[in-house]
Amino acid sequence: MKLYSDKALSKILDKDIFHQISAVADGLGLECYVVGGYVRDIFLERSSDDIDVVVVGSGIDVATELKRRLGNRAHLSVFKNFGTAQVKIRGEKSETHDEIEVEFVGARRESYSHDSRKPIVEDGTLEDDQNRRDFTINAMAICLNKNRFGELVDPFNGIADLEDGIIATPLDPEITFNDDPLRMMRCVRFATQLNFRIEEETFMALQRMAERIRIISGERIEVELNKIMMSPHPSLGFEYLLRSGLLPLILPELAALDIVEKRDGRAHKNNFYHTLEVLENVCLHNASLWLRWGALLHDIGKTKSKRWEAGAGWTFHNHNNIGANMVPGIFRRLKLPMGTEMKYVQKLVDLHMRPQAIADSEVTDSAIRRLLNDAGDDIDDLMCLCEADITSKNEVKKKMFLENFRMVREKLADLKEKDYKRLLQPVIDGNEIMEMFHLKPSPEVGVLKKYLKDAVLDNQVENEREPLMQLLLSKAREMGLACPKAS
């Protein structure tokens, strides 16, 4: 982190957009400040496109006048119900976009009722506005008025918390979290993204107020969870969620893995911390959001499948299939997308044991064909997850597993080079089977399709019309089906 004097801050803000806002605010006789994440990220030396401006007075008036000054370069959106306005300015590039977006709001103070996170809002001072901010590091403001341009206003010493790597609330954390329980998720999210620790009193308030998260919608929780998930080390966030008592309320299936049972001197591993290790391992490969979700949920079926078997010890038979069946319910509850993303995660959870089972025995062409057929275009992500799942502390055993996976990858690569989609789909399809045997969609058609599919996957015959037709006719006769066209 780098410290800046007011003079240095004025140089950092020496951009046309801030001078334009300054001129407008001075012209209207209003105090004006850039606040929140943009200020925080200046000191963290991070790029930020999130420009929020607080006006002691009407933010809409400042935004409207700024639009008038900039003319066609700017687009104004006004949200009167919220007392906010947004100005998009073309021709000025941000770090990641071809235009700059600035949000304007009037300084305000807020009060809350117990059963809602929607506040009663009144006009307020800058002090009121900073008091209502979620964390000290987000409560800093830099003045944009000409006579104080670049002056830092930091009543809660957010600079010190940035230096020390601490997440703390400006006021009593219990009141802060009670007023808006979503701030509890944001607390964990910021700690995870910035690799900060949560200040002790703030964390104790998280634990006391955890139940308040129940009034927050799944959509709001989803946003914060996904930001935690895409952090450099998401396991930090999930450990905070567990210790604070939030995880059992929002993802009880994951929290349930935090248990170790012992019987006859034999204990199974803690599957919650194993899961976090797997999640960290996939993140080493810059994994996508949904691959990370696959890693997080890959073992959720273990709680329901856990059994003690004499002679075998603790077993988790079929936990992959049980877990896959749990995925839709979790996605639905958290308002995660129920389309291709959910099906992708469900597939990874269902198949995550298959490559290991193949690697544990002789790596046959038939097993590889079936794996590639079932995983399809997601095979590389599945292999990434399976390799990440090797968390044994026994280096010899770990090396053996990885060597076996290397052999699986080599055979997969060979098959993919041969256009596996064409190789694995029988050239005789269901429509032709129905036409040939005068059948409508029925179980018989399914049996015949599966028979041909299995023959191709097991490499019993070449995927060519003549040998497949002979197999089809033989199976049809066995089933008592007449084939006029073949007679």
Side-chain angles (χ1 to χ4, degrees):
M1 181 190 136
K2 191 169 182 178
L3 294 176
Y4 297 96
S5 65
D6 290 352
K7 186 175 180 180
L9 290 173
S10 68
K11 287 184 178 180
I12 291 171
L13 298 180
D14 187 17
K15 299 176 182 179
D16 182 63
I17 180 59
F18 293 120
H19 288 300
Q20 293 281 4
I21 295 170
S22 177
V24 169
D26 284 344
L28 295 173
L30 299 173
E31 291 180 43
C32 192
Y33 302 84
V34 60
V35 297
Y38 193 88
V39 178
R40 177 197 68 226
D41 289 342
I42 287 175
F43 292 97
L44 292 176
E45 299 183 89
R46 303 196 319 171
S47 62
S48 177
D49 292 333
D50 185 16
I51 302 178
D52 291 320
V53 173
V54 164
V55 179
V56 183
S58 173
I60 292 175
D61 286 352
V62 173
T64 303
E65 178 60 18
L66 179 65
K67 155 63 181 169
R68 191 193 66 77
R69 284 175 63 100
L70 297 177
N72 292 334
R73 290 176 54 203
H75 178 268
L76 172 67
S77 300
V78 175
F79 310 96
K80 286 187 177 180
N81 289 345
F82 299 97
T84 65
Q86 179 192 76
V87 178
K88 294 183 180 181
I89 303 142
R90 294 181 295 276
E92 290 196 30
K93 292 188 178 183
S94 66
E95 294 289 334
T96 58
H97 297 94
D98 291 331
E99 62 183 12
I100 287 177
E101 295 182 10
V102 186
E103 299 279 347
F104 292 86
V105 64
R108 60 193 187 184
R109 58 173 173 264
E110 298 175 343
S111 57
Y112 292 80
S113 62
H114 182 75
D115 58 351
S116 173
R117 61 179 294 267
K118 294 180 180 179
I120 300 169
V121 178
E122 301 173 278
D123 291 341
T125 63
L126 175 65
E127 181 183 4
D128 291 328
D129 202 88
Q130 289 178 299
N131 285 344
R132 73 177 183 84
R133 298 277 162 176
D134 50 8
F135 307 110
T136 60
I137 63 172
N138 294 334
M140 297 180 289
I142 300 175
C143 188
L144 295 179
N145 295 98
K146 186 176 181 179
N147 63 338
R148 295 171 55 209
F149 193 84
E151 178 186 314
L152 177 67
V153 183
D154 183 18
F156 304 109
N157 211 5
I159 286 291
D161 286 347
L162 278 178
E163 279 196 288
D164 295 337
I166 289 174
I167 303 295
T169 58
L171 304 177
D172 182 338
E174 192 161 316
I175 295 173
T176 297
F177 296 146
N178 186 65
D179 284 347
D180 184 357
L182 184 63
R183 290 169 175 163
M184 293 189 287
M185 292 296 299
R186 285 170 57 82
C187 179
V188 172
R189 188 249 292 182
F190 279 119
T192 308
Q193 287 180 324
L194 300 175
N195 196 20
F196 281 16
R197 66 181 177 85
I198 300 174
E199 181 266 335
E200 185 177 358
E201 284 300 317
T202 303
F203 187 76
M204 291 172 64
L206 276 181
Q207 294 176 312
R208 291 193 297 271
M209 303 305 296
E211 284 287 334
R212 287 282 286 155
I213 201 67
R214 294 186 186 277
I215 74 167
I216 302 299
S217 69
E219 290 90 345
R220 295 282 185 171
I221 291 172
E222 173 211 356
V223 169
E224 298 302 324
L225 279 177
N226 285 342
K227 288 179 179 179
I228 291 170
M229 194 75 87
M230 290 307 293
S231 300
H233 297 287
S235 64
L236 299 175
F238 285 99
E239 188 166 1
Y240 268 133
L241 289 173
L242 179 73
R243 289 171 49 213
S244 67
L246 288 167
L247 193 65
L249 300 171
I250 61 177
L251 242 178
E253 300 89 345
L254 182 62
L257 296 176
D258 180 39
I259 188 172
V260 175
E261 287 192 62
K262 191 172 184 179
R263 186 178 293 189
D264 295 347
R266 299 174 68 177
H268 62 78
K269 64 187 173 187
N270 184 306
N271 286 303
F272 175 76
Y273 286 99
H274 162 73
T275 293
L276 296 192
E277 194 172 348
V278 175
L279 178 59
E280 288 294 310
N281 286 343
V282 300
C283 291
L284 294 174
H285 301 278
N286 196 27
S288 69
L289 172 63
W290 304 112
L291 177 50
R292 294 176 188 219
W293 271 104
L296 188 74
L297 301 182
H298 81 284
D299 271 351
I300 52 168
K302 281 191 170 179
T303 303
K304 292 184 177 181
S305 65
K306 183 169 67 175
R307 299 287 184 274
W308 172 262
E309 296 180 3
W314 293 105
T315 65
F316 303 92
H317 297 313
N318 207 31
H319 75 271
N320 55 308
N321 183 253
I322 293 171
N325 290 333
M326 294 165 68
V327 169
I330 292 171
F331 268 56
R332 191 173 295 110
R333 186 179 71 243
L334 294 176
K335 308 302 181 185
L336 290 161
M338 295 297 295
T340 56
E341 297 89 347
M342 185 277 291
K343 291 176 182 176
Y344 165 89
V345 172
Q346 190 175 32
K347 180 196 287 188
L348 292 185
V349 173
D350 192 26
L351 296 179
H352 80 272
M353 296 297 294
R354 284 272 293 281
Q356 183 171 327
I358 294 172
D360 281 345
S361 56
E362 183 184 355
V363 183
T364 65
D365 287 344
S366 173
I368 293 295
R369 282 170 171 252
R370 288 183 174 278
L371 175 63
L372 193 48
N373 176 73
D374 292 343
D377 292 337
D378 300 317
I379 185 64
D380 290 333
D381 285 355
L382 176 63
M383 292 301 296
C384 179
L385 171 59
C386 293
E387 288 170 352
D389 200 15
I390 303 171
T391 61
S392 173
K393 300 301 182 284
N394 183 323
E395 289 301 320
V396 174
K397 187 176 180 181
K398 189 173 183 178
K399 185 177 180 180
M400 180 189 69
F401 275 130
L402 290 173
E403 175 61 21
N404 288 347
F405 276 131
R406 185 189 62 77
M407 294 169 58
V408 172
R409 278 190 179 276
E410 285 181 357
K411 285 185 174 287
L412 285 168
D414 288 343
L415 190 53
K416 284 198 286 186
E417 280 184 10
K418 299 173 183 176
D419 187 8
Y420 76 93
K421 289 183 179 179
R422 182 184 63 80
L423 287 173
L424 302 184
Q425 287 298 326
V427 295
I428 300 174
D429 64 14
N431 290 328
E432 187 173 353
I433 291 172
M434 287 190 288
E435 182 180 350
M436 182 182 297
F437 295 99
H438 304 296
L439 295 171
K440 294 181 179 180
S442 61
E444 289 85 353
V445 177
V447 169
L448 292 171
K449 283 177 62 179
K450 184 176 185 303
Y451 185 71
L452 295 185
K453 183 81 169 180
D454 288 342
V456 170
L457 293 177
D458 292 335
N459 207 19
Q460 294 175 10
V461 295
E462 291 295 320
N463 189 9
E464 296 174 357
R465 186 172 186 78
E466 184 60 31
L468 283 178
M469 185 62 73
Q470 294 302 317
L471 280 179
L472 178 63
L473 294 175
S474 173
K475 184 66 174 177
R477 284 194 293 271
E478 180 186 313
M479 294 170 63
L481 295 174
C483 180
K485 291 190 176 184
S487 59

